[in-house]
Amino acid sequence: MQQSYIVDSANAPWKRSATEGITFACQVLLSGEDGGPEALRFRFDDCPSVYAHMHLTCQFQLLLKGAMDFPRGVKHLESLAIHYTDHNMPYGPFAVSGSHDMLVLHPRAGGIISMANLDARRKINLSGRLFAALAADAQWQPLPGVDNAAYIHLMPPGYGPAAVVTRTPAHAALSMPAAEFGRYEVVLEGSVIVGGQEIGPPGFRYVRGDQAAEPLVTGDNGASVAFLTFDRDALEGGITGEGLSVEAAEAMARAI
Amino acid sequence: MTQTQESNETFRVAVFADFTCPYSYLAVDQIDRLAREYDVKPLWRPHWLHPDTPPEGVPRENNADTAARDERRHAWFKEMAPEQYPRIRFPTKRQYSFHAFEALEFACDYGLDFAFKTAVYDLMWTEGRDIGEIETLMAAAERVGLDPVELQIALVERTYAERALDAVKQAHRIGIMNTPTIFLGRTRINGWHYYEVLQSVMEKQGVRPREALAS
C-alpha cells in the first residue's frame, strides 16, 4: 500500500499550549488519527528543563531554529540538527532556548508519556537507539547526477534510520528509493513542487510503500530538503489501546 | 533452597563506574537497594573517566557557559533524582580518582569493597571532600571498619596500583564507554537508568526479590 501525505506548514494554524508547566506554540500537521503518520511542530518558550519523557513510536526531531541542551549524553544541539529515538526510548530533561522551532515526526501516533510515570519506566526499550547530530558537523559532498548539488549524511550510512540533507539548484528532480517503513521529506529552504503544489519550508511530504514515490522537483530558487527515513522500528509500539498507550495518547491530546 | 534462590547466587551484577561521575553517584543508591532487595552480591569496578587528571585535580572554569551548563545540570538532577538532589554537593574541581580505585582494591581484599565504595561516594558527593586526597580515603576506610593507617601505607607504597590499573584496562577491553555501565546477568545497561528498569531486567531474567522468595 502506497501512502503519501503532502503538508504545507505555512497554512496550518498555531495553538498556544502547555504540558506539565512547559509552555509552547504548536501546529498539528498530521494527526495520525487515520493510522498514518503523526507530525507536529513545536516552538517551546525558553525553558531550562523540559521534563524527561518518551514516545511510543520512533521519532525524528528536526531542530529548525534555536538550541536544545541535554545535560547528559547528547549535549548541545543547534539548528540545523537531528535527534532520533526508537520507540519507548526516553530522553531529557533538556533545555530549550534561542527561539526554538522544531518538527516532531512519527510514523504513526506516538503519544507522550512522562518518565515520572513508574509504569512507563518498566516499558523502556533498553535496546533502543538514540542518535543526535548537527548539520554543521557534517561534510557536504557533491550529489551524483545533479550539477551544483550537494548532500550531507546526518546519520551514518547503515545506521538503520537515515537522515540526509540535500542542497539542489532550481528545477532538479530528487528521486529517492521506495520507503518501506516511511520517510519524511522536509523542505528546509527554497521550495519543491510535488503533487501539483509548491511547498516551502518547513512543508513536507511523507511517503511509505514498496514503490518509489514521484520525485520532488525543486522550485525556481532551488531547495534544501531533509530526507528522514525510518527503519523497521517504525513497526514497533504505537497507540495500541492498552493501559500505558491510552495514557500516552491522552497526554498528547491534552498537550496539543 | 528454591531453584530461584540457587540461580540468584550465580546471577552476576557488576557496575563499572568512576567515583567522580555524578550519574554513577546516583547509581550507588540503586545498586545498594538492589543488593538489599535481591539475593545478589554486586561488584563495583573502576572505569576511569579522566585519566589525564593530575592527582591535585583540575579546577572547573567559571564563565557564562559553565554557569548555563550548571543550571541545566542542576535542573536535570532536581528532576531525575529529587531525593538525592538536595544533599548533592557538586565539586569545584575535577578530582583524581585513581587513588580511590587503588583503595577499592584494598577494601576488596577484606571483603568490604561494596560498603567502601558507598563511603567514598558519600564523602565526595554529599560532604564535599576531595577523593584525590589520601585522608578522604582513610576516612572512608574507617567508616566501613577498615584500618585507615594500613590503607594509607598501601596507598603511599602503591601496593594496589598495578591491580587497579589492570581493572581499568579490563574495563577498556570489554568496551566500557559509559559510566555507570551496569551488568545485570546477561543484560548490559549503558549509563544511569531508573530503578524500575533494573527491577524489570531482573524480573525478565527470572530473578525474584527476597520478599517474594520469602512468601
Side-chain angles (χ1 to χ4, degrees), chain A residues 46-51 61 63 66-79 81 83 91-98 100 134, chain B residues 65 68-73 75-76:
Chain A
D46 284 7
C47 174
S49 188
V50 176
Y51 64 93
Q61 287 184 324
L63 184 61
M68 295 167 74
D69 285 275
F70 297 78
R72 176 171 167 253
V74 174
K75 306 296 177 195
H76 179 77
L77 294 183
E78 253 175 67
S79 63
H83 183 275
Y91 58 96
F94 57 89
V96 285
S97 58
H100 174 265
L134 285 78
Chain B
D65 281 350
R69 254 203 315 271
D70 281 350
E71 186 193 1
R72 293 191 290 265
R73 189 169 60 164
W76 192 97

Side-chain angles (χ1 to χ4, degrees), chain A residues 134-165:
Chain A
L134 285 78
D137 292 340
Q139 189 75 39
W140 287 93
Q141 300 173 60
L143 184 65
V146 187
D147 290 341
N148 301 316
Y151 75 100
I152 49 173
H153 284 287
L154 286 182
M155 298 174 95
Y159 182 74
V164 172
V165 177

